[in-house]
Amino acid sequence: MSTAEASATTADAAEAGGRTKTGSPRTIPVFGVAIPDGEMQGIFKPMDLNRIIKLLEEEDKDVSEEKQLTYIKKLIQCYQNGFPLRDLAQIFKILSLCAEKIEKQPCFVEPASDIIKLCGLPFLKKKVSDEITYTEDTANSFALLGELMKIPSSALRIQICKCIVDFYHAEPLKKHIPGYQQVSSSYKIKMVEVGGLAKAMVQSALLLENQLVEKLWVLKVLQHLSTSGVNCTLMVKAQAASRICAHLNDPDPSGQLLFRSSEVLWNLLEKSSKEEIIQQLSNLECLLALKEVFKNLFVRGHSHYERQLRNDILVITTIIAQNPGAPMILLIDGKVILALFTYVKKPERLKIIEWSAAQYEELQLHAIATLSSVAPLLIEEYMSCHGNSRILAFLEWCGHEDSYFIHGNSFHGTGGRGNKFAQLRYTLRLLRAVVYLEDEAVNKDLCERGVIHRLTEIFKTMMSRPAEKEEAIALEIQSDTLLILSGLCENYIQRKEMFGTEGVDIVLHVMKTDPKNLQRGLGYNVLLFSTLDSIWCCILGCYDSEDYFLEKEGIFLLLDILALNQKKFCNLILGIMVEFCDNPKTSAHVNAWRGKKDLTAASLLIKLWRKEEKELGVKRDRNGKIVDTKRPLFTSFQEEQKAMPLPANCPSIAVMDVAENIRAKIYAVLDKLDFENLPGLSAEDFVTLCIIHRYFDFKIGEIWNEVSEEIKLEKLRLVTTDERSLNSIIAATENIGKMVASLQSEMIENQALQDVQNEQRVYAKIQATHKQRGQAKKSWENFLARTSNAKTLKKAKKLQEKAIESSRYTERPQNATSHQTVIKGLNTTVPSGRVVTVQSTPTRLLGGPLADTDIALKKLPIRGGALQRVKVKPPLNDPKKSIPT
């Protein structure tokens, strides 16, 4: 029976002076089920929830404890199929009143537990909108569950934990209640987040340090709550990570405490702020607890479950080591670095050990991964354990191909089955972490032990291997190798010389990679970045390496990559080009390069400039000409920023613009090419080149304009001489802008005129072609007319004879020889010479060429008028017996 219905029934009885109406049996709805009043009296007696609340609040001695318990039991019986959302606030008010009485009246523990148990059942809604309408009531009710954990009753606490766990394992109602629906399965979980129950449960754990059973139930609840990011955030605010970690080593025969605690820590690391979790765990108490747990599992753990826990604890420790402020000095006293290094060596097959090959491999990879995080923090301990020599010896073993079989079963062993990729991968990570500390003593020791040669050999070995299934891991190994070499060689000429031609060859090999691979997402982009970084750090500055790089067409490869038009590589490549252009041999290589469609390097750089200015929002007209002569380089970002006074040591926006885009680098490269005799430039390129040529002047003008604006904002007054000088500089910059704009206009006009002239030439050529085609057509028509009409043929012959006669001398010269111009017996319709070859008529039909004419060539062997094969005696040295004629 709902609260409203019960209240209405009570009100009717009150109005009748306490008398109930008689007559026909009345129906009393209980959760939408209509039951006759006579039948209902034997099952459930209607009640008013407000009356129960008032009854529990009264402190009158006349109100017996038994009466209160009776009403609560009737309430429990009434709602045995679940609580409606609209009654939830009143029911939890009753629960709160029962909890207050528990300390003095322990008999209220059982009814309170029964009410909480019913909360584990699905809540009921009468309308679809009930879930939204009663959101606040539900969230507040769940918050009360966390407060009830403070009551010192073991049964009540365990029941609360069971109830919360049931939220995450909702089951459908066993009995359908007509008129009501079950709320959605995720509704309770969402209300738990809104009510902040997770924070209260973490705080309640402090009260249960000596109650193991209750503590395990709370950890089980936290394990479920930590599957939500919202709950994890609330738990972090309650210092859940440090409180749970500090008690990892508490006695627990069942082993559940360690398992559930580690699971909660993992969830917190994955679903909340990792940095904050690391900060909470970076204290001596937590680290000691982790150390003891790891030691116990390492020594006594044998099952798969225990090994998994051991690995989890080790990884958590590794993550904590990322915090420089963590008190890892525990690690020094325990000789942890030395202990980890005992696994960084070639497996000893003859030695009897308690680990299987797969177990030893897993321990080995975990040890190397841990060293990658711990060793940089304890570099002195690392050096005292001869870390460099151990790593190089292990790298040498990784580089050799032998029959050692890697299982690759563990997390760190991914991609390492049947090879040594996993060991090589994590050893290079460790070496990279050590090198990038930039500790000169460590790096010098590595170089003296031949690490540069060893790394180049490893890279060459990886190059020689065929494509592997685990291509991404192979690419990571190559990238790390180049990064380590870059870290070692940067700023040291002697080490760059050690890098030498072998190192240049591996760099060139990577640069020749198919550009399509850059779109595959397998690490080729990272490898190319590492390669470009190695050019900067390992080649530039060493003249022998630079010359060898140029000799092997390295500049061509750089420009090929630049022509791919991928913005992420442009800045780095242009920086390398600027440095390379200091070498006098570079200019010839740059000017000789040709890309697709005969693209030159200068044209490529100018196109990159135009693209960059378009992205930056620089104002240009449709022809690429300067629009604002006062601020010809201004970007849209600079226009949006308001001028403001800045301290002397703070770079201004104009200065920052130099570093934030590639225009300055393009200017530097073209400037070192002297801006003269640049091949393959179009008129549009020359228009843009005018701006690039004056980039330095325009940038100086920008900076002086900023100085002038800051002076005005600070309301300072310059002395006359300084003011005159400042105005002259600004005016000179504007004049340069106008001059460049004028030169650009002249270029554009000349190009337009040239385009018109070229167009006229093309049109003239087209006209000549059409005229020639017309004449050819007319000639063909005349030819057809002569062959098809005898009169036309005779007329043409007369015209021909007339033309011949008109071409003769009027007076015959003395001693002149007269030649006949007409060939007798000729049957052609066109003017002919002495010999005519007719291709349109087969020779077999005419009996041979000129067979019936007076001037048949007598020297030709003619039989029957047709050409025949005649046997001719071959020379003595000719192997052929006859030659066809």
Side-chain angles (χ1 to χ4, degrees), residues 217-257:
W217 271 107
V218 170
L219 285 173
K220 186 174 183 179
V221 169
L222 292 176
Q223 187 179 352
H224 284 79
L225 293 176
S226 61
T227 57
S228 159
V230 176
N231 288 335
C232 285
T233 302
L234 294 171
M235 292 167 66
V236 170
K237 291 181 180 179
Q239 302 293 313
S242 59
R243 290 177 176 178
I244 293 173
C245 186
H247 295 279
L248 281 176
N249 208 33
D250 287 359
D252 174 27
S254 67
Q256 292 187 45
L257 187 144

Side-chain angles (χ1 to χ4, degrees), residues 81-322:
N81 292 315
F83 295 130
L85 289 176
R86 62 182 181 182
D87 294 341
L88 209 57
Q90 293 171 302
I91 290 170
F92 269 82
K93 176 63 175 177
I94 294 171
L95 177 61
S96 176
L97 292 172
C98 290
E100 292 175 2
K101 296 179 178 293
I102 288 176
E103 185 177 357
K104 296 181 179 179
Q105 298 171 279
C107 57
F108 279 91
V109 171
E110 183 178 352
S113 299
D114 291 339
I115 294 175
I116 294 171
K117 184 177 181 180
L118 291 177
C119 291
L121 297 175
F123 289 159
L124 303 172
K125 61 181 178 181
K126 200 163 189 178
K127 300 178 182 178
V128 176
S129 60
D130 282 357
E131 290 188 8
I132 300 174
T133 305
Y134 299 104
T135 296
E136 186 177 355
D137 291 346
T138 308
N140 292 337
S141 300
F142 285 171
L144 178 62
L145 289 178
E147 294 297 320
L148 295 180
M149 289 295 293
K150 297 177 182 178
I151 297 174
S153 170
S154 177
L156 188 66
R157 288 169 175 171
I158 292 174
Q159 188 58 59
I160 292 172
C161 293
K162 288 181 179 180
C163 174
I164 298 172
V165 171
D166 287 341
F167 293 171
Y168 292 84
H169 303 282
E171 295 180 359
L173 287 172
K174 295 180 180 179
K175 183 179 180 180
H176 177 65
I177 308 298
Y180 285 86
Q181 296 178 355
Q182 180 178 337
V183 298
S184 60
S185 58
S186 61
Y187 181 73
K188 285 187 176 182
I189 298 174
K190 185 178 179 181
M191 291 300 100
V192 165
E193 296 174 355
V194 176
L197 179 60
K199 185 177 180 179
M201 294 304 295
V202 173
Q203 293 171 345
S204 67
L206 295 175
L207 308 173
L208 309 174
E209 292 187 3
N210 299 322
Q211 288 87 14
L212 179 60
V213 177
E214 299 168 32
K215 187 189 298 184
L216 292 177
W217 271 107
V218 170
L219 285 173
K220 186 174 183 179
V221 169
L222 292 176
Q223 187 179 352
H224 284 79
L225 293 176
S226 61
T227 57
S228 159
V230 176
N231 288 335
C232 285
T233 302
L234 294 171
M235 292 167 66
V236 170
K237 291 181 180 179
Q239 302 293 313
S242 59
R243 290 177 176 178
I244 293 173
C245 186
H247 295 279
L248 281 176
N249 208 33
D250 287 359
D252 174 27
S254 67
Q256 292 187 45
L257 187 144
L258 180 57
F259 168 73
R260 298 194 187 281
S261 298
S262 62
E263 186 73 17
V264 173
L265 289 175
W266 268 116
N267 290 342
L268 291 175
L269 285 168
E270 290 178 355
K271 293 181 170 58
S272 62
S273 172
K274 185 176 180 181
E275 292 74 17
E276 192 167 352
I277 297 297
I278 293 174
Q279 192 65 37
Q280 287 187 20
L281 297 177
S282 298
N283 58 71
L284 193 59
E285 187 178 11
C286 291
L287 289 173
L288 285 174
L290 288 169
K291 173 187 173 183
E292 290 300 320
V293 169
F294 178 77
K295 183 176 70 173
N296 292 335
L297 290 172
F298 191 81
V299 175
R300 302 184 181 90
H302 299 288
S303 65
H304 175 75
Y305 161 76
E306 289 171 325
R307 290 200 302 270
Q308 182 181 355
L309 273 178
R310 176 203 65 203
N311 295 344
D312 290 345
I313 297 299
L314 184 59
V315 175
I316 291 173
T317 307
T318 305
I319 294 172
I320 298 173
Q322 297 174 8

Side-chain angles (χ1 to χ4, degrees), residues 75 99 284 383 502 550 566 605 655 668 678 753 784 788 878:
L75 170 70
L284 193 59
M383 291 298 292
E502 288 186 349
L550 293 171
Q566 296 199 17
L605 292 172
V655 175
L678 298 176
L753 180 61
L784 291 178
S788 60
D878 193 344

Side-chain angles (χ1 to χ4, degrees), residues 541-661:
C542 179
Y543 298 129
D544 292 339
S545 297
E546 285 186 9
D547 291 345
Y548 185 75
F549 184 83
L550 293 171
E551 180 184 341
K552 294 294 182 179
E553 300 181 349
I555 288 294
F556 288 0
L557 295 174
L558 275 176
L559 289 170
D560 287 341
I561 299 172
L562 188 63
L564 296 176
N565 203 14
Q566 296 199 17
K567 190 175 179 64
K568 53 192 172 186
F569 299 123
C570 289
N571 203 3
L572 187 53
I573 292 175
L574 288 171
I576 294 170
M577 292 285 295
V578 172
E579 296 298 323
F580 253 113
C581 284
D582 288 335
N583 190 320
K585 300 178 183 178
T586 304
S587 299
H589 288 261
V590 174
N591 290 327
W593 176 83
R594 292 294 182 273
K596 293 181 179 178
K597 299 180 181 180
D598 207 30
L599 179 69
T600 63
S603 180
L604 172 62
L605 292 172
I606 293 171
K607 283 181 172 59
L608 289 175
W609 175 284
R610 284 198 293 267
K611 180 184 176 184
E612 185 76 3
E613 287 201 329
K614 185 177 180 180
E615 293 176 355
L616 293 172
V618 181
K619 291 182 179 178
R620 298 281 184 263
D621 68 2
R622 60 186 181 87
N623 295 314
K625 197 176 72 171
I626 291 175
V627 174
D628 187 353
T629 57
K630 291 184 178 180
R631 301 180 298 180
L633 298 179
F634 246 48
T635 65
S636 58
F637 175 76
Q638 287 176 280
E639 290 181 350
E640 293 171 359
Q641 300 298 313
K642 295 181 180 180
M644 61 181 68
L646 295 172
N649 61 347
C650 182
S652 65
I653 296 176
V655 175
M656 291 297 295
D657 175 73
V658 175
E660 290 176 352
N661 58 70

